[in-house]
Amino acid sequence: MVLEFLRPAGGVLAEAVTVLAMHLFRRGPLPVETPPDVLAGIKAGILICTSPRSGSNYLAELMAGAGLGKPLEWFGGRRVLELPNYPRDPRAQVLRALKDGRTPSGIYAVKIFASQFSQVSKTVDLPASLPALRYVRLTRRDLLGQAISWTRARQTGRFRSTEKGQNSPRYDGPAIAESLKKIGLENLAWDVWLAKNGLPFLPLTYEEVLANPQTCLEKIAHLAGTHITFGPASALNSSLEVQRDTINMEWRERFLSQYSALSKFQTISHRIRGLL
């Protein structure tokens, strides 16, 4: 009705005014309404806010084994997008995450990168769509190691130790530098978004999870308002193995010899749209 009132009687001006009116009165992203039968089975949700090659796959397997949800990349991850009949519509993906990302404990989990969050947020109010949500902020202390790992994974197509590489890795200094910058932007985007919204979160690092997985899982369980018990014979098993080897160390040495410059300091002017 508003658009009809503003629409002049034809011509280029009419179209220009219509476009302007549509922009002014366009509604922002809306939350997805959870069906009552799905909502009834949910106790808590966990959103793992992270970046590529942060050890999130390893943590995801541990969480699934402990009944703390199945935190896959339900919004843009290539593995779920390759599933038969997996929806491309983010609104339908929300419902899949609530159903397929849930364990019998009633806890569902999602892991998501800042770039994925930014893309989904164009059409869906994601935090409002995920009920009883808690936040885990997963980072990796060794940022250069993370950038090297990401560069290598993209070259070879081997993102998990259980996958076969498609190509041989080759040193690429500019690609590592670009990966390092993108990881920094991902981390900055999450930190600013969490801070400006006053959201409490559980901070974890890849190094902590690797060194003491049981303690980290207990912290996540406490965050979700539940409790898990580990008996004397409990084993925290994962099908994944650490992938870094002498190649990663060689790349680190080459990169530092090529790019290290203590006298230079460069500010980053780029941003991830929708988050900063």
Side-chain angles (χ1 to χ4, degrees), residues 193-234:
W193 182 77
L194 290 166
K196 77 177 183 180
N197 288 289
L199 295 172
F201 60 91
L202 171 64
L204 291 177
T205 66
Y206 163 68
E207 290 81 1
E208 286 178 302
V209 176
L210 200 61
N212 202 337
Q214 179 173 323
T215 298
C216 293
L217 290 176
E218 289 172 343
K219 289 180 179 180
I220 295 174
H222 179 75
L223 179 72
T226 189
H227 178 74
I228 52 178
T229 303
F230 297 93
S234 296

Side-chain angles (χ1 to χ4, degrees), residues 74-75 86 93-102 108-110:
W74 297 107
F75 302 97
Y86 193 79
Q93 290 173 355
V94 168
L95 298 180
R96 285 292 293 267
L98 295 178
K99 295 177 181 178
D100 297 349
R102 187 172 63 193
Y108 71 90
V110 173

Side-chain angles (χ1 to χ4, degrees), residues 19 38 48 83 87 108 155 158 193 243 248:
V19 171
V38 176
I48 301 179
L83 293 176
Y108 71 90
Q155 284 183 358
R158 188 177 185 227
W193 182 77
Q243 292 180 257
N248 296 63

Side-chain angles (χ1 to χ4, degrees), residues 5-68:
F5 177 76
L6 291 175
R7 189 189 300 274
V12 176
L13 179 59
E15 294 302 319
V17 172
T18 300
V19 171
L20 176 61
M22 291 177 65
H23 175 76
L24 292 176
F25 292 96
R26 183 173 54 195
R27 302 178 68 179
L30 297 175
V32 177
E33 185 176 350
T34 307
D37 60 319
V38 176
L39 188 61
I42 293 175
K43 180 177 180 180
I46 300 171
L47 188 70
I48 301 179
C49 309
T50 190
S51 56
R53 311 307 292 170
S54 64
S56 59
N57 287 328
Y58 177 64
L59 178 60
E61 284 206 359
L62 294 178
M63 288 177 60
L68 297 173

Side-chain angles (χ1 to χ4, degrees), residues 58-213:
Y58 177 64
L59 178 60
E61 284 206 359
L62 294 178
M63 288 177 60
L68 297 173
K70 301 175 183 177
L72 301 181
E73 292 168 40
W74 297 107
F75 302 97
R78 65 183 180 89
R79 291 179 191 84
V80 295
L81 291 178
E82 290 170 356
L83 293 176
N85 302 318
Y86 193 79
R88 267 42 179 181
D89 180 6
R91 305 186 71 83
Q93 290 173 355
V94 168
L95 298 180
R96 285 292 293 267
L98 295 178
K99 295 177 181 178
D100 297 349
R102 187 172 63 193
T103 47
S105 62
I107 298 173
Y108 71 90
V110 173
K111 72 164 181 157
I112 190 168
F113 304 148
S115 52
Q116 294 170 341
F117 187 97
S118 177
Q119 185 66 29
V120 173
S121 295
K122 294 178 181 179
T123 54
V124 172
D125 184 345
L126 192 57
S129 302
L130 300 176
L133 194 59
R134 278 81 160 172
Y135 298 90
V136 171
R137 179 74 179 93
L138 178 65
T139 58
R140 183 168 173 173
R141 295 194 191 109
D142 182 8
L143 293 180
L144 179 54
Q146 184 176 355
I148 290 172
S149 176
W150 193 19
T151 302
R152 182 174 175 177
R154 284 186 292 174
Q155 284 183 358
T156 63
R158 188 177 185 227
F159 288 84
R160 291 172 173 243
S161 60
T162 53
E163 296 176 335
K164 292 184 178 180
Q166 302 171 0
N167 302 294
S168 299
R170 69 187 189 286
Y171 175 77
D172 188 337
I176 294 174
E178 182 66 17
S179 295
L180 185 59
K181 183 174 70 174
K182 288 181 177 179
I183 290 169
L185 289 171
E186 288 262 342
N187 287 338
L188 176 61
W190 279 128
D191 293 342
V192 170
W193 182 77
L194 290 166
K196 77 177 183 180
N197 288 289
L199 295 172
F201 60 91
L202 171 64
L204 291 177
T205 66
Y206 163 68
E207 290 81 1
E208 286 178 302
V209 176
L210 200 61
N212 202 337

